[in-house]
Amino acid sequence: MPHLTTPEAPAALSASLQTGAQLHALLERLFPICRSITGDGVRQTLAVVQEYLPDLQVHEVPSGTPVLDWTVPAEWNIRDAWVKNAAGERVIDFQQHSLHVLGYSTPVRGWFSRQELEQHLFSLPEQPTLIPYRTSYYQPGWGFCLSHEARLALSDEYYEVCIDSTLDEHGSLTYGELVLPATVAREEAAGEVLLSCHCCHPSLANDNLSGLVVAVALAGYLARQPRRYAYRFVFGPGTIGSITWLARNPEAVARIRHGLVLTLLGGPGDFTYKQSRRGTAATDQAVALALRDRAAAHHIRPWLPYGYDERQYCSPGFNLPVGCLSRTPFGEFAEYHTSADNPSFVRPGQLQQALELVQQICRVFEHNRTYRNLRPYGEPQLGRRGLYKGVGGGSEGQQWQMALLWVLSLSDGEHSLPAVAEQSGLPFELLHRAAQSLAATDLLEPV
Amino acid sequence: MPHLTTPEAPAALSASLQTGAQLHALLERLFPICRSITGDGVRQTLAVVQEYLPDLQVHEVPSGTPVLDWTVPAEWNIRDAWVKNAAGERVIDFQQHSLHVLGYSTPVRGWFSRQELEQHLFSLPEQPTLIPYRTSYYQPGWGFCLSHEARLALSDEYYEVCIDSTLDEHGSLTYGELVLPATVAREEAAGEVLLSCHCCHPSLANDNLSGLVVAVALAGYLARQPRRYAYRFVFGPGTIGSITWLARNPEAVARIRHGLVLTLLGGPGDFTYKQSRRGTAATDQAVALALRDRAAAHHIRPWLPYGYDERQYCSPGFNLPVGCLSRTPFGEFAEYHTSADNPSFVRPGQLQQALELVQQICRVFEHNRTYRNLRPYGEPQLGRRGLYKGVGGGSEGQQWQMALLWVLSLSDGEHSLPAVAEQSGLPFELLHRAAQSLAATDLLEPV
Amino acid sequence: MPHLTTPEAPAALSASLQTGAQLHALLERLFPICRSITGDGVRQTLAVVQEYLPDLQVHEVPSGTPVLDWTVPAEWNIRDAWVKNAAGERVIDFQQHSLHVLGYSTPVRGWFSRQELEQHLFSLPEQPTLIPYRTSYYQPGWGFCLSHEARLALSDEYYEVCIDSTLDEHGSLTYGELVLPATVAREEAAGEVLLSCHCCHPSLANDNLSGLVVAVALAGYLARQPRRYAYRFVFGPGTIGSITWLARNPEAVARIRHGLVLTLLGGPGDFTYKQSRRGTAATDQAVALALRDRAAAHHIRPWLPYGYDERQYCSPGFNLPVGCLSRTPFGEFAEYHTSADNPSFVRPGQLQQALELVQQICRVFEHNRTYRNLRPYGEPQLGRRGLYKGVGGGSEGQQWQMALLWVLSLSDGEHSLPAVAEQSGLPFELLHRAAQSLAATDLLEPV
């Protein structure tokens, strides 16, 4: 049974999680587990994450706990589920694929006519070979998902049905949290960056394991970097997980300066960034710059109150500067929420690009400073400071010299370095190095 | 003589004025009357309007009254006008068409050589079969308008000329006014909406009778609706009429929150909205939304200090939020200000579309509220309030659910419902219904 | 030797400098002089300018003077320079073209192997017939510039080299300055307009003599006009000249309201305006309007911290409203900084267009007023003031009447006349005349 497989210990810790192949191997390991918004599948998933991030804290919140406008639901677990034909053969079998059962199905056991059974089946007539992913969290019921071909092949008059699940009112909701504190002195610390991904989807690879493995690898990378910001990673079930985290962490919420929901990062398709509700937050600017500098083709979309956990983080009471980074968004690729979203749909190279992009986004967060030119009257003579080429008269300023000039020109205490990058069109990292060089010759200081 | 025809009583009151055919019938009835900026033609026109809108008040303002920078002119009336050839035949005859006489012609009687007469004739060489419409309100003189073909046929050496008109310094200027008060309690009332159309053009159908009949029908419609706003209809001569009304109503002017000049609504061509001088008034936003939601093709033009009475309402001292709604604007269709602008040029279907559009615009005025989400921290759980579908996992949010989410997301007390409509791209009426549903479940309240 | 040629006295004064041919003749006269950032070439050039502008003041600033972050360099002069082959023939000869010597070359005399000499040669392999222009102001060294063809023809083993130059630590930097004071009473004066062009390039025609002759002609024109602004012309070496002027004139700097760097105005190609660092300064608006009204095709580019002396004027400490007007910008035409940038590359007609454009820009500066409509309630009756045509009803407003209406509509004390020109699309000069007519009938007054 997939979700009872004991996870294998990884060969190494998070430092080993750097290449696309390494990320993909972790994704394949996590794929069989039957996750839902509560239950052992989440716990097993977080236990694997803890192998890479030993400081990950796992929180359990009792069912029935009020969280904002919601209530933590009963905990759902499932041991087995099947439909047998008259001959006693399993014609739908949860052991074969965790998508076969409607998420949060109530327990059931008995014989049903085919007509009765049909009321509980979900299939995709237009994608007849794929199993759909369906759930019914907040409306009690039971059901099976299967390929349309398999559904059409059901010809017996009666079927035996079993869903061996439990809904425990005394259970709990599980989520994981990791904080990497800032490494600078308290007075130089810049607040928190929230990185959030959902871990409630059963055997689906791009949605959401791709976001999860990139987040784990990013945490490993950031743990080895100096940090002006603290970084807070939340791994929880969609919607109810972020609502629960928000309800329990008002003080952390107040410290958030940037945030990203990571999802759908492993499939084909260009990167897509969905802006925060604010639309003009520094987060939105930073992601746009990282995409401009790193991703040939990409898309930036305005806020939409539908999607992933940014819906909660950006609800008007919180209105946090949290956007959502993905490749092709949900619902816009044929494999979405079907059995075709499996590990072979996710490419190692896509995961690696995604990891490099989120690293770059964090560098923009870290290096987003506003500077003041200390020799603002006329241009300072760069030549005697070793910052300028000696023989003039050529017709092309080189990019490095342009970076120096742009930083000097706009460092009036009002233009942040990302603003300089936007206005100049020059790469953010080049401008950051130029600012470092100018600061080293006492021409510039951070505001 | 057209303007002496006794108007027939209509079969019913304003409630009967709902279909395009009914509007067109009223337009046909008013068409023969020889209107000008003063005189009995205006009175006869307003008398017909009063049959539909019994509460219409007719104001008479004495000639010579100073109004803003202007003076109410002498009252002009005309009994007859003709040019007879040597054989005594009427070759130009006011009885045949009220456009034949230059508006505000001074009286004249006598024989003129053809050469002398030519100085007083107006025709259109490039549209040789049409009679042009010309006036000379503020520069005394007399003249006749005729088709260019008829002009070329004038071959006698002498003609007898008669214009039996009067210019009475002791007359008055006439305009009509109807106020539909708000139906809500005084503390909830939202100010006034001004709806203005000119009634000074003689036998022209699209300009301006189309605007007049749509205004009459709109008044009938609004009289049957609950109203947060008071609606003030002004039917007066162009320029001097709106100037006179503005001069006499400083208190009403101060209450105006929205306004529209209605004209040229019956011809072919897409709707065109000319923005108020402010350009970003709530009126401009409301009309743009109504056009977006109702009219497949339409045009929005920026402010221009030339046109209809919006010139006066938007003069910089008043700067009222008044735009101008028409179809193809003045001067941009071949029939403009000619005898071809007759009742057959105006289509019943076009009038009906126009009525439905202005009704929708008024609905946007009425439903333009700014709301506050009362559960702004995270999304409220719509499911337990019966506002959400139960089985998740599908890839498409439906429009109704998106409307609920958009209203919740942007109801922070700073986004009006029209702003939500602009940002979401969803129909205004749908968002209004979503806001009503959310308010009914205590999730929302107006600010 | 070119730079020792005694300039011929011109036939007339600046008033004679109005046609393109006259401007081109002055350019041809100045062309042979070997200018650099200091030295007699600059003095000779300014002496010629003084013939046209007798009030031009010539300033000498001692070498070693600290100016902002820089130091005035040693004065460079050159009498002769050549490379002789074994046969004693001058194979590179400064007497033939002042571009042959690397600007600011240190003196040298002796025999060098061809290999040694090659280290000091500059040529353009991709433009093999042209001599490049190169300098080495702030890094001591010597060198020759020559066509690549001539360079390839060097086949002797040894060459005799002579650069008969001096670098005088007790010399000075020379620049010229002319102030045309405002002609209005002190309380109506509007500040200063800075017009700057560099005069440090040796025998190059478009860069920079075209800018210089247009500036001289503009000064002559403005001297004959009434002026709300004072106009300050600065003729100095690039970079160090503007830095020196800025360092020495803090009070004048504080009075600058507009400014233009004039350069590259004589070649082919559309006009190009590079905006000031502010981007939205009244200067930027005025130039854009003059280009819109005068130049069919033109280009407006945003601020870039590379280019001409606007780099200094717009450095963040000063941040003056100074843009740069040129035709095809530096580095974007093949003749740039080569011997092909000679008087035949500059067309008289292009110079004349440029002069007319800068005159128009100055008219926009002068006529940039904000007015208040004194009859703002409704439109004033233009007819009785002789400002309107008498017979209405035509379908086209004429441009003059539209100008009157636009000025009245937007003269609320908040829209400048350039803003009216932008919003209306009407020519600025027409609006200026309309404003004058309205002011003459007491309908308008400047704020």
Side-chain angles (χ1 to χ4, degrees):
Chain A
M1 205 162 67
H3 57 285
L4 293 184
T5 304
T6 304
E8 296 174 6
L13 301 174
S14 72
S16 72
L17 214 53
Q18 299 191 33
T19 68
Q22 291 164 331
L23 273 73
H24 195 269
L26 175 56
L27 179 143
E28 282 195 300
R29 183 174 166 216
L30 293 167
F31 182 74
I33 301 173
C34 180
R35 282 163 290 271
S36 185
I37 57 173
T38 59
D40 290 331
V42 177
R43 289 188 192 97
Q44 290 166 4
T45 301
L46 295 178
V48 175
V49 172
Q50 256 174 337
E51 296 176 20
Y52 292 84
L53 305 172
D55 294 337
L56 181 80
Q57 285 192 289
V58 176
H59 300 271
E60 299 283 349
V61 182
S63 298
T65 305
V67 283
L68 304 179
D69 191 59
W70 300 59
T71 304
V72 173
E75 179 178 331
W76 183 70
N77 281 293
I78 182 163
R79 275 177 296 272
D80 201 359
W82 44 257
V83 173
K84 288 183 184 172
N85 63 12
E89 298 159 338
R90 291 190 170 201
V91 293
I92 311 176
D93 185 359
F94 173 64
Q95 304 295 342
Q96 298 299 318
H97 206 300
S98 67
L99 289 181
H100 273 313
V101 72
L102 176 74
Y104 257 63
S105 278
T106 48
V108 63
R109 182 78 193 242
W111 285 85
F112 293 84
S113 71
R114 197 174 74 222
Q115 199 178 358
E116 287 167 325
L117 178 62
E118 276 287 345
Q119 308 307 312
H120 296 270
L121 299 184
F122 301 91
S123 65
L124 300 168
E126 298 188 359
Q127 294 174 295
T129 64
L130 305 182
I131 311 167
Y133 166 51
R134 291 288 156 81
T135 63
S136 186
Y137 299 137
Y138 299 102
Q139 184 172 304
W142 60 268
F144 286 88
C145 301
L146 72 167
S147 75
H148 202 63
E149 285 180 357
R151 183 178 192 165
L152 294 178
L154 297 178
S155 55
D156 288 0
E157 255 179 84
Y158 290 90
Y159 287 89
E160 190 181 4
V161 169
C162 167
I163 296 183
D164 182 10
S165 65
T166 54
L167 274 159
D168 184 356
E169 303 281 351
H170 301 290
S172 62
L173 177 150
T174 312
Y175 69 87
E177 190 174 17
L178 172 73
V179 180
L180 301 172
T183 62
V184 295
R186 174 184 286 246
E187 63 274 17
E188 290 183 23
E192 292 199 2
V193 177
L194 175 70
L195 294 145
S196 174
C197 61
H198 58 289
C199 59
C200 56
H201 284 38
S203 299
L204 293 169
N206 193 31
D207 179 10
N208 51 228
L209 289 176
S210 67
L212 187 143
V213 300
V214 169
V216 173
L218 177 64
Y221 165 80
L222 290 170
R224 303 188 298 272
Q225 306 295 320
R227 300 180 296 274
R228 281 204 305 136
Y229 286 94
Y231 290 80
R232 186 179 295 265
F233 289 80
V234 174
F235 303 88
T239 305
I240 190 66
S242 50
I243 284 170
T244 300
W245 182 85
L246 284 162
R248 289 161 52 93
N249 293 279
E251 290 179 9
V253 165
R255 287 193 296 268
I256 293 173
R257 297 291 171 271
H258 299 290
L260 282 179
V261 170
L262 300 176
T263 184
L264 298 175
L265 290 167
D270 302 330
F271 287 113
T272 298
Y273 176 64
K274 171 184 159 182
Q275 295 176 324
S276 76
R277 181 177 176 280
R278 297 184 188 178
T280 56
T283 305
D284 302 314
Q285 184 184 42
V287 178
L289 283 174
L291 284 166
R292 187 198 70 174
D293 290 354
R294 289 280 171 145
H298 63 271
H299 309 282
I300 295 179
R301 298 191 178 182
W303 168 249
L304 184 81
Y306 195 68
Y308 292 96
D309 286 318
E310 69 278 6
R311 291 165 64 167
Q312 311 309 324
Y313 300 126
C314 296
S315 57
F318 294 113
N319 198 24
L320 295 175
V322 175
C324 178
L325 186 69
S326 68
R327 290 178 179 275
T328 306
F330 68 91
E332 301 182 19
F333 54 96
E335 296 82 359
Y336 177 71
H337 274 196
T338 73
S339 51
D341 181 4
N342 57 45
S344 69
F345 178 62
V346 169
R347 315 284 166 76
Q350 307 288 84
L351 292 172
Q352 186 162 338
Q353 277 186 347
L355 175 59
E356 289 167 4
L357 177 62
V358 294
Q359 289 171 343
Q360 175 63 18
I361 291 169
C362 291
R363 278 193 290 268
V364 182
F365 294 159
E366 289 287 329
H367 300 153
N368 178 351
R369 305 301 294 266
T370 297
Y371 293 93
R372 182 179 293 116
N373 178 341
L374 298 172
R375 291 279 185 283
Y377 295 98
E379 288 176 11
Q381 199 183 2
L382 297 176
R384 63 175 158 91
R385 294 178 174 89
L387 293 170
Y388 214 72
K389 67 178 179 182
V391 175
S395 65
E396 291 192 351
Q398 295 169 352
Q399 208 183 32
W400 170 247
Q401 288 170 25
M402 289 309 300
L404 294 168
L405 293 175
W406 272 111
V407 171
L408 286 168
S409 178
L410 297 185
S411 288
D412 52 7
E414 295 179 12
H415 292 78
S416 68
L417 209 54
V420 180
E422 285 181 344
Q423 193 170 337
S424 68
L426 295 175
F428 180 83
E429 281 302 288
L430 182 74
L431 292 163
H432 168 63
R433 291 201 304 276
Q436 299 291 98
S437 292
L438 291 166
T441 53
D442 292 328
L443 289 173
L444 208 65
E445 67 177 12
V447 172
Chain B
M1 206 163 66
H3 57 285
L4 292 184
T5 303
T6 303
E8 295 174 6
L13 301 174
S14 70
S16 71
L17 215 53
Q18 299 190 34
T19 69
Q22 291 164 332
L23 273 72
H24 196 269
L26 174 58
L27 179 144
E28 282 194 300
R29 183 175 166 215
L30 292 167
F31 182 74
I33 301 173
C34 181
R35 281 162 292 270
S36 185
I37 58 172
T38 60
D40 291 332
V42 177
R43 288 187 194 98
Q44 289 165 4
T45 301
L46 295 179
V48 175
V49 171
Q50 255 174 338
E51 296 176 17
Y52 292 84
L53 305 172
D55 293 337
L56 182 81
Q57 284 192 292
V58 176
H59 300 272
E60 298 283 349
V61 183
S63 299
T65 305
V67 282
L68 304 180
D69 192 59
W70 301 59
T71 303
V72 173
E75 178 178 331
W76 184 70
N77 280 294
I78 182 162
R79 274 176 297 272
D80 201 359
W82 44 258
V83 173
K84 289 184 184 171
N85 63 10
E89 299 160 338
R90 291 189 171 203
V91 293
I92 310 176
D93 185 358
F94 174 64
Q95 304 295 343
Q96 298 298 318
H97 206 299
S98 67
L99 289 181
H100 273 312
V101 71
L102 176 74
Y104 257 62
S105 277
T106 48
V108 62
R109 180 79 192 241
W111 285 85
F112 292 85
S113 73
R114 197 173 76 221
Q115 199 177 0
E116 289 167 322
L117 178 61
E118 276 286 345
Q119 308 308 311
H120 296 269
L121 298 184
F122 300 92
S123 65
L124 300 168
E126 298 189 359
Q127 294 173 294
T129 64
L130 304 183
I131 311 167
Y133 165 51
R134 290 289 156 80
T135 64
S136 186
Y137 301 136
Y138 300 102
Q139 185 173 302
W142 61 269
F144 286 88
C145 301
L146 72 169
S147 74
H148 202 63
E149 286 180 356
R151 184 178 191 165
L152 294 177
L154 297 178
S155 55
D156 288 2
E157 254 179 86
Y158 288 91
Y159 287 88
E160 190 181 3
V161 168
C162 167
I163 295 183
D164 182 9
S165 65
T166 54
L167 273 160
D168 184 356
E169 304 279 351
H170 300 290
S172 63
L173 176 148
T174 311
Y175 69 86
E177 189 174 17
L178 173 72
V179 181
L180 301 174
T183 61
V184 294
R186 175 185 285 245
E187 63 273 18
E188 290 182 24
E192 291 200 1
V193 177
L194 176 69
L195 294 145
S196 174
C197 61
H198 58 290
C199 59
C200 56
H201 283 38
S203 300
L204 292 169
N206 193 31
D207 181 9
N208 50 232
L209 289 177
S210 67
L212 187 143
V213 299
V214 168
V216 173
L218 178 64
Y221 165 80
L222 290 170
R224 301 187 299 272
Q225 306 295 319
R227 301 181 295 275
R228 280 204 307 137
Y229 286 94
Y231 289 82
R232 186 179 294 265
F233 289 79
V234 174
F235 303 88
T239 304
I240 189 66
S242 49
I243 285 171
T244 300
W245 182 83
L246 284 162
R248 290 160 51 93
N249 293 279
E251 292 179 9
V253 165
R255 287 192 296 268
I256 292 174
R257 296 293 170 268
H258 300 290
L260 283 179
V261 170
L262 300 177
T263 183
L264 298 174
L265 290 167
D270 302 331
F271 286 112
T272 299
Y273 176 64
K274 171 184 160 183
Q275 294 176 323
S276 76
R277 181 180 177 278
R278 298 184 187 179
T280 57
T283 305
D284 302 314
Q285 184 184 40
V287 178
L289 282 175
L291 285 166
R292 187 197 71 173
D293 289 353
R294 290 280 172 146
H298 64 269
H299 309 282
I300 294 180
R301 297 190 178 183
W303 168 250
L304 184 82
Y306 194 67
Y308 292 96
D309 286 318
E310 69 277 6
R311 292 165 64 167
Q312 310 308 325
Y313 299 125
C314 296
S315 58
F318 294 114
N319 197 26
L320 295 175
V322 176
C324 179
L325 185 70
S326 68
R327 290 179 178 275
T328 306
F330 69 90
E332 300 182 21
F333 55 95
E335 296 81 357
Y336 177 70
H337 274 196
T338 73
S339 51
D341 181 2
N342 58 44
S344 69
F345 179 62
V346 170
R347 314 284 165 78
Q350 307 289 85
L351 292 173
Q352 186 162 338
Q353 277 187 345
L355 175 58
E356 289 168 5
L357 176 63
V358 294
Q359 289 170 343
Q360 175 63 18
I361 292 169
C362 291
R363 278 192 289 268
V364 182
F365 294 158
E366 289 288 328
H367 300 154
N368 178 350
R369 304 302 293 268
T370 298
Y371 293 93
R372 182 178 294 118
N373 178 340
L374 297 174
R375 293 278 184 283
Y377 295 98
E379 289 176 9
Q381 198 183 3
L382 297 176
R384 64 175 156 92
R385 294 177 175 91
L387 293 170
Y388 212 70
K389 66 178 178 184
V391 176
S395 66
E396 290 192 350
Q398 295 169 351
Q399 209 183 31
W400 170 247
Q401 287 170 26
M402 289 309 300
L404 294 168
L405 293 175
W406 271 112
V407 170
L408 287 169
S409 178
L410 296 185
S411 288
D412 52 7
E414 294 179 11
H415 292 79
S416 69
L417 209 54
V420 179
E422 285 180 344
Q423 192 169 337
S424 68
L426 294 176
F428 180 82
E429 282 301 288
L430 182 73
L431 293 163
H432 168 62
R433 290 201 305 275
Q436 298 292 99
S437 292
L438 292 166
T441 53
D442 291 328
L443 289 174
L444 208 66
E445 67 177 10
V447 172
Chain C
M1 205 163 66
H3 56 285
L4 293 183
T5 304
T6 304
E8 296 174 6
L13 301 173
S14 72
S16 72
L17 213 53
Q18 299 190 33
T19 68
Q22 290 165 331
L23 272 72
H24 195 269
L26 174 58
L27 179 143
E28 282 194 301
R29 185 176 165 214
L30 293 166
F31 182 75
I33 301 172
C34 179
R35 282 162 292 270
S36 185
I37 58 172
T38 59
D40 290 331
V42 177
R43 289 188 193 97
Q44 289 165 4
T45 301
L46 295 178
V48 175
V49 171
Q50 256 175 337
E51 295 175 20
Y52 292 84
L53 304 171
D55 293 337
L56 182 80
Q57 283 192 291
V58 176
H59 299 272
E60 299 284 349
V61 183
S63 298
T65 304
V67 283
L68 305 179
D69 191 60
W70 301 59
T71 304
V72 172
E75 178 177 332
W76 183 69
N77 281 293
I78 182 162
R79 276 177 296 271
D80 203 359
W82 45 257
V83 174
K84 289 184 184 170
N85 62 12
E89 298 160 337
R90 293 189 169 202
V91 294
I92 311 176
D93 185 359
F94 173 64
Q95 304 296 341
Q96 297 300 318
H97 206 299
S98 68
L99 290 181
H100 274 312
V101 72
L102 176 75
Y104 256 64
S105 278
T106 49
V108 63
R109 181 76 193 244
W111 284 87
F112 292 83
S113 72
R114 197 175 73 221
Q115 200 178 359
E116 289 167 323
L117 178 60
E118 276 287 344
Q119 308 307 311
H120 297 269
L121 298 184
F122 300 91
S123 65
L124 301 167
E126 298 188 359
Q127 295 174 294
T129 65
L130 304 182
I131 311 167
Y133 165 51
R134 291 286 157 82
T135 63
S136 186
Y137 300 137
Y138 300 102
Q139 183 172 304
W142 61 267
F144 286 89
C145 302
L146 72 167
S147 75
H148 202 63
E149 285 180 355
R151 184 177 192 166
L152 293 177
L154 298 178
S155 55
D156 288 2
E157 255 178 84
Y158 290 90
Y159 287 88
E160 190 181 4
V161 169
C162 167
I163 296 183
D164 183 8
S165 66
T166 54
L167 274 160
D168 185 355
E169 303 281 350
H170 301 288
S172 62
L173 176 150
T174 311
Y175 68 87
E177 189 175 18
L178 172 72
V179 180
L180 300 173
T183 60
V184 294
R186 172 186 286 246
E187 64 273 17
E188 290 183 22
E192 291 200 1
V193 177
L194 175 69
L195 294 144
S196 175
C197 60
H198 58 290
C199 59
C200 57
H201 284 37
S203 299
L204 292 169
N206 193 31
D207 180 10
N208 51 233
L209 289 177
S210 67
L212 186 144
V213 301
V214 168
V216 173
L218 177 65
Y221 164 80
L222 289 171
R224 303 187 299 274
Q225 305 296 319
R227 300 179 296 275
R228 281 202 308 138
Y229 286 94
Y231 289 82
R232 186 178 295 265
F233 289 79
V234 174
F235 303 89
T239 304
I240 190 66
S242 50
I243 284 170
T244 301
W245 182 84
L246 284 162
R248 289 161 51 94
N249 292 279
E251 292 179 8
V253 165
R255 288 192 296 268
I256 292 173
R257 298 290 170 271
H258 300 290
L260 282 179
V261 170
L262 300 176
T263 183
L264 299 174
L265 290 167
D270 302 330
F271 286 111
T272 299
Y273 176 64
K274 172 184 158 181
Q275 294 176 325
S276 76
R277 181 178 175 281
R278 297 184 189 180
T280 56
T283 305
D284 302 314
Q285 183 184 42
V287 178
L289 282 175
L291 285 166
R292 187 198 70 174
D293 290 353
R294 289 280 172 145
H298 63 269
H299 309 282
I300 295 181
R301 297 191 180 183
W303 168 249
L304 184 81
Y306 194 67
Y308 292 96
D309 287 317
E310 69 278 5
R311 291 166 63 166
Q312 310 309 324
Y313 300 126
C314 296
S315 57
F318 294 115
N319 197 25
L320 295 175
V322 176
C324 178
L325 185 69
S326 67
R327 289 179 180 274
T328 306
F330 69 91
E332 301 182 19
F333 55 95
E335 296 82 358
Y336 176 70
H337 274 197
T338 75
S339 52
D341 181 3
N342 58 44
S344 71
F345 178 63
V346 169
R347 314 284 165 77
Q350 306 290 83
L351 292 172
Q352 186 161 338
Q353 276 186 348
L355 175 59
E356 290 167 3
L357 176 62
V358 294
Q359 289 169 345
Q360 175 63 18
I361 292 169
C362 291
R363 277 192 290 268
V364 181
F365 295 158
E366 289 287 329
H367 301 153
N368 178 350
R369 304 301 294 268
T370 298
Y371 293 93
R372 183 179 292 118
N373 178 341
L374 298 172
R375 292 279 184 282
Y377 295 98
E379 288 176 10
Q381 197 182 3
L382 297 176
R384 65 175 157 89
R385 294 177 175 90
L387 292 170
Y388 212 71
K389 66 180 179 182
V391 176
S395 65
E396 290 193 350
Q398 294 169 354
Q399 208 182 31
W400 170 247
Q401 287 170 27
M402 288 310 300
L404 293 169
L405 292 176
W406 271 111
V407 171
L408 286 169
S409 177
L410 296 184
S411 287
D412 52 7
E414 294 179 13
H415 292 80
S416 69
L417 209 53
V420 179
E422 285 181 344
Q423 192 169 337
S424 69
L426 294 175
F428 179 84
E429 281 301 288
L430 181 74
L431 292 163
H432 168 63
R433 291 202 304 276
Q436 297 292 99
S437 291
L438 291 166
T441 53
D442 291 329
L443 290 174
L444 209 66
E445 69 178 8
V447 172

